Amino acid sequence: MTETHGKPGGMPLHTRMLIGFIVGAGAGVLANFFAGQAGWLDGLIHYVTDPVGQLFLRLLFMLVMPLVFSALVLGVVEIGDPRSLGRIGGKTLLWILAVTTVAVTIGLVCVNLLEPGRGLPQEVGQTLLAASSERAAEVAGRREGVSGIQILLNIVPRNPVQAAANGDLIAVMFFALMFGIAATVVRSDGTRSFVSAVQGVYDICLKLIGWVIQLAPYAVAALLFSITAKLGFEVLVQLARFVGTVVLALGIHFFIVIPLLLRVFGGMSPLAFFRGAEPALLTAFSTSSSSATLPTTLKVTEENLGVPRRVVRFVCTLGATANMNGTALFEGITVLFLAQFFGVDLSLGQQVLVLMLCILGGIGAASVPGGSLPVIAMILVMFGIPPEGIGLILGVDRFLDMCRTVVNVGGDMAGSVVIGRSEARAGIATATYSPDAD
């Protein structure tokens, strides 16, 4: 499991994460102000802080594939009845589509009302474009591989091992789903031994990630120092309208829409939900990755929110890749923001098409930091918006990635509560399900 409370008698892990956040951001702003052009600062970022942050993320991602495979196989096996699997899968798909559609709609409304792209000075935009041109070109160059047809075709992997090596989570999840269904149908000594081995892999992954997550405070400080030392306070202020629009839209979705859905369809107090979900939400904010947060999500949803394990493993594991409502919202705002910045007027029909593309892109985007960037580049090209404009948001993408990952993970857990209650009413879930428990 992911330990969220630190060592016995020591400072809680989420407190140390907060301290790391404050120290990293504060030190970065000061470094930019007093030594913004110094060669030693570039060296410090390049050789110290960037590697520390990337090492932490690599350690987490190293375990993502075995964790996703084992969790989904076990989730399918525990559901047992293929008819139950189809029912839960259908409910999960309906939840993903409905919640993501609402999220993107909120984003498009906010960006049309606030128009953040029209308030950003052109000279600041050109400076950022020049500073980020190399990475922007790299992201834009990958857009051809993110078409809607390719996303659909890539669900079925030609080679599951290659798919895992390439980080194609959707393909790995499809393979795991098929494996789990077959293991449920074929009841033999061999399949029982296989399931036991998969359970061992799952337990080992949880323990390893529990060790790795202890490095989170230092990684958060390093990552935020790198960002703020490069940008400085002035550029952060210039991009504040864009950031504020994204955060506002995410906040409306997370603190209004999801609590309403929880109360109406899940029968759970929103306050009880947020209290129980806190460890997973903090981990999501720190890692910017739904996949890296998955161990904590599984544990918290089952133990703190009282959702049956077989529902949790299926819904949360699938949601870690497919239920990207926060990411889809961010993609919609970013596309319209850059359209405003470059003076490209999009009609209502074109904005509806953007909404549809963002829903598909949110499902197909990688559940890792920056996984939505190629999708955004693809949408920009479709509407004649310079794809190099993505360089404008690269500097603040880390913070927004942290925020939208919280919404993604919160949506997974809320969906588990709603679907778990629905299954309980159908007499499928276990008697321990109690969403109203505080």
Side-chain angles (χ1 to χ4, degrees):
M1 71 177 188
T2 301
E3 299 176 15
T4 57
H5 300 289
K7 298 179 180 179
M11 186 179 297
L13 181 60
H14 64 267
T15 302
R16 289 187 281 129
M17 287 182 180
L18 178 61
I19 293 174
F21 182 93
I22 295 173
V23 169
V29 169
L30 291 175
N32 179 273
F33 181 76
F34 290 107
Q37 304 300 322
W40 66 264
L41 181 59
D42 290 337
L44 178 65
I45 294 172
H46 183 74
Y47 294 106
V48 180
T49 56
D50 272 352
V52 168
Q54 292 303 315
L55 177 62
F56 171 71
L57 294 177
R58 283 173 177 262
L59 287 171
L60 287 175
F61 298 148
M62 175 182 69
L63 303 170
V64 166
M65 287 301 173
L67 173 69
V68 167
F69 178 82
S70 58
L72 193 53
V73 168
L74 293 173
V76 172
V77 170
E78 286 194 2
I79 290 174
D81 183 4
R83 289 175 297 180
S84 298
L85 175 62
R87 182 175 55 252
I88 294 177
K91 292 175 181 177
T92 304
L93 180 61
L94 179 62
W95 171 267
I96 291 172
L97 292 176
V99 174
T100 304
T101 300
V102 172
V104 180
T105 303
I106 291 172
L108 297 187
V109 170
C110 287
V111 78
N112 275 290
L113 291 176
L114 300 177
E115 296 188 330
R118 304 197 192 281
L120 196 66
Q122 289 285 342
E123 59 272 14
V124 176
Q126 294 304 319
T127 301
L128 286 173
L129 279 174
S132 303
S133 58
E134 182 178 348
R135 188 180 169 195
E138 176 188 347
V139 173
R142 291 155 51 191
R143 64 183 179 271
E144 292 82 1
V146 200
S147 67
I149 294 178
Q150 278 301 113
I151 290 175
L152 293 176
L153 290 177
N154 289 341
I155 292 176
V156 182
R158 293 181 178 179
N159 184 337
V161 177
Q162 183 181 19
N166 292 337
D168 190 350
L169 281 178
I170 292 182
V172 172
M173 291 176 66
F174 179 84
F175 179 69
L177 181 64
M178 295 295 100
F179 240 71
I181 293 174
T184 302
V185 174
V186 181
R187 301 180 181 275
S188 65
D189 292 339
T191 55
R192 282 189 285 272
S193 299
F194 168 77
V195 171
S196 297
V198 172
Q199 180 68 56
V201 172
Y202 179 79
D203 294 339
I204 291 171
C205 287
L206 295 189
K207 175 55 68 176
L208 289 174
I209 292 181
W211 291 343
V212 172
I213 204 68
Q214 295 299 321
L215 301 174
Y218 312 102
V220 169
L223 289 168
L224 287 173
F225 177 85
S226 298
I227 296 169
T228 53
K230 292 174 184 176
L231 289 177
F233 187 73
E234 181 180 358
V235 177
L236 290 177
V237 171
Q238 296 296 339
L239 291 172
R241 291 187 65 188
F242 168 68
V243 174
T245 303
V246 176
V247 172
L248 173 64
L250 290 173
I252 292 173
H253 183 69
F254 189 61
F255 293 110
I256 297 178
V257 174
I258 288 181
L260 284 175
L261 294 174
L262 277 169
R263 173 59 76 184
V264 174
F265 298 104
M268 173 175 275
S269 162
L271 290 178
F273 172 80
F274 287 122
R275 281 200 300 268
E278 180 185 2
L281 298 179
L282 287 170
T283 305
F285 186 78
S286 300
T287 62
S288 304
S289 171
S290 300
S291 297
T293 310
L294 185 57
T296 318
T297 305
L298 295 171
K299 173 181 170 58
V300 163
T301 308
E302 179 185 348
E303 296 183 2
N304 295 6
L305 304 181
V307 182
R309 177 178 297 181
R310 52 189 174 184
V311 174
V312 172
R313 281 182 170 173
F314 184 84
V315 177
C316 287
T317 303
L318 183 62
T321 293
N323 187 25
M324 297 290 171
N325 45 92
T327 297
L329 182 154
F330 167 77
E331 291 171 354
I333 291 180
T334 301
V335 170
L336 264 64
F337 163 74
L338 292 175
Q340 292 172 359
F341 181 84
F342 288 107
V344 179
D345 292 325
L346 298 181
S347 66
L348 179 61
Q350 289 175 314
Q351 293 192 32
V352 171
L353 182 56
V354 169
L355 183 148
M356 296 173 62
L357 289 170
C358 289
I359 293 172
L360 179 62
I363 294 174
S367 54
V368 296
S372 62
L373 297 179
V375 178
I376 294 172
M378 174 198 72
I379 299 174
L380 293 176
V381 171
M382 291 184 63
F383 291 96
I385 305 168
E388 294 78 16
I390 204 170
L392 287 169
I393 55 98
L394 291 181
V396 294
D397 183 59
R398 165 60 64 174
F399 171 69
L400 296 178
D401 206 351
M402 297 162 85
C403 295
R404 63 183 182 260
T405 302
V406 171
V407 176
N408 293 338
V409 172
D412 294 341
M413 292 187 286
S416 295
V417 171
V418 171
I419 294 168
R421 189 190 193 206
S422 173
E423 289 295 293
R425 286 176 171 175
I428 303 300
T430 60
T432 59
Y433 179 65
S434 54
D436 292 309
D438 288 347

